[in-house]
Amino acid sequence: MLVPTADPKPDRLVLTHEAPLRERGFFARLTLASRLAIAMILLVAVTVTATGWLYYLNLERELLPRVLDRIETHSKLLAADLQSYIRGSRADVVTFRAHAAVHGIVLAHLNGGTDPVDGLTEEAWRQRLLTRLVAYLRAKPTYWQFRFIGLDDGHKEILRLDRSGPNGAVRVVPDSELQRIGDEPYVTETLKLAGDAMYVSPIDLNEDNGVIEEPQVPTLRVAAPVFKPDGTPFGVVAVSIDMRPALDRIRSSVQRGSIFAVDARGNYLVNPDRSLEFGAQLGRPADWRTHFPYFVPLLGSLQSAAQSAQDPTGGLCGAAMAPAMIEGQQWVGIIATIPNSVYMAPAVAIRNSALLVGSIAMLGAAALAVILARSLT
């Protein structure tokens, strides 16, 4: 609109173009006090927010390597503990196979039931071996079963001891309960071995006549062939090791985050969700390789690793894997994870504190700006 204005020369009238107030921009319509308040609030807000996030990112950069190193070390310790739990079983199987009673049973069986060297019957040698084994199993609480299996009569057991007695006591299995187990993988695989070679099975749930035993007992078997004097196979001696204490130690070791034990076949041996353990054997397979694909290249190797990744639920976490090679044959991986929300809790607390202080500072800045603007105007 045209507005009359005063001219230096009183005889002239000058018209100037001035926009209505309502047509100006929002910031132009603000008073000086409001402009100063907004500017100071924005300045403080940007400064505080940037400072808080900078602290957060710096702490994340410092914390993550330390957390990864810690959980990798934890995984290595658990792997070493698992290996030590099994250590010595190979030597025990060698001792069993070399026992005089075993050789006596072989010779007596091949010579009509009587040992031609010592004159003892096969049954006499069998009772001697049982007496020795009962005492040995009592001293070895981790041993769940001991079997001596012959080739005759469909690979029928010559003797068996287990812990199915009262309160887990060692029991000599009666002859009427001895089984034919020639189709068991640990028997067929062991009979293929020669010399001093040993067989170590994967860890699985113990079965009785093809039925998973209750309560469920995770078991590892160490077996060796027994030979006749001419070097041909006579049978197999096998020790079944109760893995529950070892797996329970892994399970209970977690403080923050989650812990898993996995095998080379993709099975979970330890999982926070117990229904996923030994899933393939129980008819509900759960393959750890689909949950931790970034650790698949380490399968079967002796190399450990740690990295920032996603956990099975899809959340960000730090994850580490360490291998355990059981008696040099069976690979088990120990995986430890810790969510970002756990190890980044100190950084989040600092960031939130900075933002809280910043909010208070913004209120103070607003009040100060109003007072300053009023004094200026």
Side-chain angles (χ1 to χ4, degrees), residues 191-269:
L191 289 173
K192 298 176 184 178
L193 303 177
D196 295 330
M198 309 283 286
Y199 172 78
V200 180
S201 76
I203 300 173
D204 57 18
L205 299 177
N206 193 55
E207 296 184 0
D208 187 12
N209 285 322
V211 179
I212 296 175
E213 197 171 29
E214 292 292 344
Q216 296 174 357
V217 182
T219 305
L220 179 136
R221 299 169 187 85
V222 181
V226 175
F227 299 102
K228 300 175 184 177
D230 62 1
T232 58
F234 174 84
V236 171
V237 291
V239 168
S240 298
I241 302 172
D242 183 358
M243 297 298 296
R244 286 177 296 181
L247 298 182
D248 286 343
R249 282 208 295 266
I250 295 174
R251 187 177 292 108
S252 62
S253 69
V254 62
Q255 297 177 351
R256 295 183 297 175
S258 302
I259 201 78
F260 307 83
V262 299
D263 67 12
R265 300 176 297 174
N267 295 311
Y268 281 108
L269 309 180

Side-chain angles (χ1 to χ4, degrees), residues 128-376:
R128 286 192 179 189
L129 183 58
L130 284 171
T131 301
R132 176 68 180 272
L133 290 173
V134 167
Y136 200 86
L137 261 67
R138 285 175 178 168
K140 289 275 189 174
T142 59
Y143 288 177
W144 182 249
Q145 290 178 337
F146 177 88
R147 284 184 166 104
F148 186 8
I149 306 156
L151 291 181
D152 294 344
D153 195 11
H155 299 78
K156 187 177 181 179
E157 296 171 324
I158 296 172
L159 57 85
R160 172 160 52 101
L161 296 89
D162 59 28
R163 293 188 178 275
S164 59
N167 299 319
V170 176
R171 181 183 76 116
V172 176
V173 176
D175 292 350
S176 60
E177 297 181 23
L178 296 178
Q179 304 171 3
R180 294 174 178 83
I181 53 175
D183 57 346
E184 290 288 342
Y186 72 90
V187 176
T188 57
E189 293 299 320
T190 303
L191 289 173
K192 298 176 184 178
L193 303 177
D196 295 330
M198 309 283 286
Y199 172 78
V200 180
S201 76
I203 300 173
D204 57 18
L205 299 177
N206 193 55
E207 296 184 0
D208 187 12
N209 285 322
V211 179
I212 296 175
E213 197 171 29
E214 292 292 344
Q216 296 174 357
V217 182
T219 305
L220 179 136
R221 299 169 187 85
V222 181
V226 175
F227 299 102
K228 300 175 184 177
D230 62 1
T232 58
F234 174 84
V236 171
V237 291
V239 168
S240 298
I241 302 172
D242 183 358
M243 297 298 296
R244 286 177 296 181
L247 298 182
D248 286 343
R249 282 208 295 266
I250 295 174
R251 187 177 292 108
S252 62
S253 69
V254 62
Q255 297 177 351
R256 295 183 297 175
S258 302
I259 201 78
F260 307 83
V262 299
D263 67 12
R265 300 176 297 174
N267 295 311
Y268 281 108
L269 309 180
V270 172
N271 191 298
D273 183 355
R274 300 291 292 270
S275 66
L276 299 181
E277 297 177 357
F278 302 97
Q281 195 175 359
L282 295 171
R284 44 175 187 264
D287 196 328
W288 67 267
R289 292 169 292 191
T290 63
H291 299 151
F292 300 97
Y294 40 87
F295 285 144
V296 172
L298 299 179
L299 197 157
S301 75
L302 298 179
Q303 180 182 356
S304 63
Q307 66 179 70
S308 179
Q310 283 189 335
D311 62 18
T313 64
L316 292 177
C317 69
M321 171 185 273
M325 191 64 72
I326 298 177
E327 294 293 3
Q329 295 189 32
Q330 291 297 332
W331 182 91
V332 174
I334 307 298
I335 300 175
T337 64
I338 181 168
N340 279 24
S341 58
V342 173
Y343 71 81
M344 287 300 295
V348 171
I350 293 175
R351 182 196 64 190
N352 292 342
S353 298
L355 294 177
L356 177 61
V357 172
S359 300
I360 297 173
M362 284 189 289
L363 295 176
L368 181 62
V370 171
I371 295 172
L372 180 61
R374 287 180 176 177
S375 66
L376 291 175

Side-chain angles (χ1 to χ4, degrees), residues 83-93 136 140 143 327:
Q83 290 179 143
S84 65
Y85 181 84
I86 309 299
R87 190 172 293 123
S89 58
R90 288 173 61 94
D92 290 338
V93 171
Y136 200 86
K140 289 275 189 174
Y143 288 177
E327 294 293 3

